[in-house]
Amino acid sequence: MTTEMHPNRWGDPAQAAPLPESTRGLVELALGVRDTPAVEEVALPAVGLPDEVLAELRRLLGDDHVLTDDEHRRLRTRGKSTPDLLKARSGDLADAPDAVVRPGSHDDVVALIDLAVRHHVALVPFGGGTSVTGGLVARREGYAGVLSVDLGRMKAVREVDKVSMTVVLEPGLRGPEAEALLAAEGLMLGHYPQSFEFATIGGFAATRSSGQSSAGYGRFDAMVMGLTLATPQGTLEVGTSPANAAGPDLRQLALGSEGAFGIITAVRVRVKKLPETKAYEAWQFPSFDAGADAMRHLAQNGLMPTVLRLSDEAETMLNLASQSDVGGDSSGGCLMIVGFEDSINRREPITAALEELGGTSLGEERGAAWAEGRFHAPYLRDSLLDVGVLVETVETATFWSNRDALYAAVKGALTEALGEKSLVLCHISHVYETGCSLYFTVAAPADDAPLEQWAAAKARASQAMIDAGATITHHHAVGTDHKQWLAQEVGEVGVRILRAVKAELDPTSILNPGVLIP
């Protein structure tokens, strides 16, 4: 049975835990502690869908797959950003869907879209519920109701082509489920974002996700060879070849579209053979600049390992890369994690290059600790929220020549907005020949209005990204939170293109209204 995430925390409810005493002492010293427990569960708004619509939904999908009880609606309310959780913890469930519907096939999805158009009901595709940018909060005004379209019944591996090394996956498969099914065939996808344990194949595609092994396996959108998209105007099927010159690549209309253009019902992805060996090493560099220059050298000289991650001085000092020992002794300088999965033939030249560029090997123990705890950071975020510490992340990407300026601009904006007592940490975990991502983690004492406090800081950081010539998001997607900065990033013509595609594919705007499109 699939584990449901906690309604007002991240992840598996069984893993919810108070802040460890050793970490609590460090937090109290640096930021102060104020216990802020969540309110008891509250009733949800009444179901607003007309009875005749609910009756038609039940005829279409069956009574067991049209759910209007508070428990299921609560679990499909918003995503897992810090503002999402602060609202849930305070008892604000105003964005709850009127019902959760569970289609079991592409044909079910097509029929559901037809029903939504006829009755003007908003549809919000739901995979794992891990959105952190407001991607699950549809505009309600003017609609007969809002349906959460839970794709969790669509979990099949439809096709395995070991000659071409591609597979066709349905959208409801969670990351671990997909990897387990592929492992039975001796294959793997190799996509491991921090949300891996709960996020789904459809979600990876709809948000252009990027995983922690992107250095070796690439972003998810680079893995997608083809897909099927159900829209109000019919079904789009693309991906008849590994590459083509047949006009613009229409896959890109679905990849990153966040359910605003259609609902993804199948994805053809390239796969790899299961690695026979895995090794993760820790390295120390004297500074963030030195470590980033070493990363650039590897990327530009064809020396990429499977995992490549660099913490800045502040993140290294707090030992945040090791979720099992946050606040423990650090090695000083900046910590780099280098992972090898069936890339042993590259290990020797990569090691030689890192040594020549000023790195010092710290061995495999700390690398293994990172690998063991790499999906645990959101649980720590929740434990810090429990004691009155505001914790959130922002991320961006830029070209190598702009990295230092962008880093300074975003860090400065967050520090100015949240005060000198705040902690602003950063790491690089996605690297390209031409540039890299920057991922910032922020911790600050929460004030009496933490939602407004974070909104102001987020706005300052987001504008700093755009003003520095960087992207508003490398892998968290747009949702509702980033729309105004997306408009600045793509410009007037870009916005008109997005609106034109939306108007053509979804003329009545029943697909995730209010999300993505400025």
Side-chain angles (χ1 to χ4, degrees):
M1 182 178 177
T2 301
T3 300
E4 290 277 10
M5 286 208 284
H6 196 290
N8 56 30
R9 304 177 77 91
W10 174 268
D12 185 351
Q15 294 196 41
L19 202 63
E21 283 302 317
S22 57
T23 306
R24 185 183 175 102
L26 177 67
V27 171
E28 188 164 14
L29 180 65
L31 301 169
V33 166
R34 182 182 64 180
D35 289 332
T36 54
V39 300
E40 296 295 325
E41 289 188 358
V42 296
L44 273 69
V47 173
L49 279 173
D51 290 342
E52 61 268 23
V53 176
L54 285 170
E56 187 173 348
L57 285 167
R58 290 179 174 124
R59 288 194 298 271
L60 173 64
L61 300 175
D63 290 350
D64 291 344
H65 304 305
V66 179
L67 308 168
T68 58
D69 60 281
D70 278 7
E71 180 182 2
H72 282 93
R73 293 172 61 213
R74 181 181 290 110
L75 291 170
R76 299 295 177 267
T77 302
R78 307 189 187 100
K80 294 298 181 182
S81 69
T82 292
D84 289 339
L85 296 187
L86 288 172
K87 289 177 183 178
R89 285 165 173 249
S90 71
D92 176 2
L93 299 174
D95 294 314
D98 292 291
V100 178
V101 294
R102 304 175 67 240
S105 67
H106 173 81
D107 289 346
D108 281 354
V109 173
V110 169
L112 185 59
I113 290 174
D114 176 69
L115 180 153
V117 170
R118 286 187 284 106
H119 294 286
H120 202 54
V121 175
L123 301 181
V124 181
F126 186 96
T130 61
S131 170
V132 292
T133 58
L136 300 177
V137 183
R139 186 175 65 245
R140 306 182 69 92
E141 296 79 13
Y143 291 87
V146 175
L147 295 177
S148 175
V149 184
D150 184 342
L151 298 165
R153 290 174 64 204
M154 299 178 66
K155 290 179 178 286
V157 177
R158 291 191 189 171
E159 177 187 312
V160 176
D161 181 349
K162 291 188 178 181
V163 175
S164 304
M165 292 297 282
T166 66
V167 298
V168 178
L169 305 175
E170 289 191 334
L173 283 165
R174 287 185 176 181
E177 293 171 335
E179 292 292 2
L181 291 171
L182 293 176
E185 301 285 346
L187 303 172
M188 66 175 294
L189 187 57
H191 186 67
Y192 304 110
Q194 196 166 75
S195 60
F196 169 74
E197 294 173 310
F198 296 93
T200 62
I201 295 298
F204 293 155
T207 60
R208 298 178 70 187
S209 174
S210 194
Q212 296 168 349
S213 299
S214 64
Y217 301 131
R219 295 165 54 95
F220 192 80
D221 50 6
M223 300 177 183
V224 176
M225 300 291 102
L227 53 83
T228 303
L229 182 75
T231 84
Q233 301 293 0
T235 296
L236 174 69
E237 293 194 58
V238 291
T240 59
S241 59
N244 66 69
D249 187 349
L250 295 181
R251 288 176 303 175
Q252 300 302 327
L253 285 179
L255 295 170
S257 65
E258 303 184 44
F261 296 156
I263 296 177
I264 295 169
T265 59
V267 183
R268 181 182 294 277
V269 290
R270 61 168 167 79
V271 290
K272 303 284 188 182
K273 291 182 179 179
L274 276 173
E276 295 181 3
T277 59
K278 294 184 180 182
Y280 303 95
E281 297 178 342
W283 287 75
Q284 181 187 43
F285 279 83
S287 68
F288 196 47
D289 285 344
D293 284 345
M295 290 177 132
R296 178 173 60 84
H297 177 90
L298 295 182
Q300 293 177 347
N301 287 277
L303 294 172
M304 292 292 277
T306 308
V307 174
L308 189 58
R309 184 190 195 279
L310 176 71
S311 297
D312 72 356
E313 290 86 351
E315 188 173 282
T316 300
M317 180 181 67
L318 290 178
N319 206 27
L320 198 63
S322 175
Q323 292 299 312
S324 60
D325 190 28
V326 173
D329 291 337
S330 78
S331 56
C334 288
L335 179 70
M336 179 184 287
I337 300 296
V338 184
F340 301 91
E341 297 183 6
D342 267 8
S343 50
I344 300 304
N345 60 325
R346 294 200 300 274
R347 189 170 183 175
E348 185 175 334
I350 289 172
T351 297
L354 292 175
E355 289 176 342
E356 184 176 340
L357 292 163
T360 301
S361 176
L362 303 177
E364 294 188 15
E365 183 176 351
R366 293 191 68 180
W370 170 83
E372 181 182 354
R374 61 179 165 168
F375 303 127
H376 295 168
Y379 292 100
L380 176 62
R381 183 266 309 262
D382 294 340
S383 300
L384 287 165
L385 289 176
D386 289 341
V387 296
V389 176
L390 181 69
V391 181
E392 187 56 300
T393 62
V394 296
E395 45 80 40
T396 181
T398 192
F399 298 110
W400 286 116
S401 58
N402 194 41
R403 178 197 58 80
D404 189 53
L406 176 63
Y407 174 77
V410 176
K411 186 169 184 176
L414 289 167
T415 302
E416 289 173 13
L418 293 170
E420 292 298 326
K421 202 171 183 181
S422 62
L423 298 174
V424 181
L425 322 175
C426 184
H427 67 257
I428 298 171
S429 53
H430 306 283
V431 175
Y432 309 92
E433 287 187 47
T434 54
C436 65
S437 68
L438 291 174
Y439 189 102
F440 295 87
T441 301
V442 183
D447 65 21
D448 292 334
L451 282 168
E452 293 78 5
Q453 178 188 12
W454 175 246
K458 169 90 170 182
R460 292 279 294 274
S462 297
Q463 195 59 51
M465 294 173 194
I466 298 300
D467 290 346
T471 182
I472 189 58
T473 176
H474 173 264
H475 58 269
H476 279 173
V478 176
T480 55
D481 296 356
H482 291 154
K483 285 198 304 180
Q484 74 178 89
W485 294 284
L486 173 67
Q488 294 182 54
E489 181 172 339
V490 302
E492 180 183 352
V493 172
V495 170
R496 288 169 60 190
I497 291 171
L498 290 173
R499 290 175 178 173
V501 174
K502 176 72 170 176
E504 180 62 33
L505 292 180
D506 182 23
T508 60
S509 195
I510 53 93
L511 293 171
N512 222 2
V515 170
L516 178 65
I517 313 298

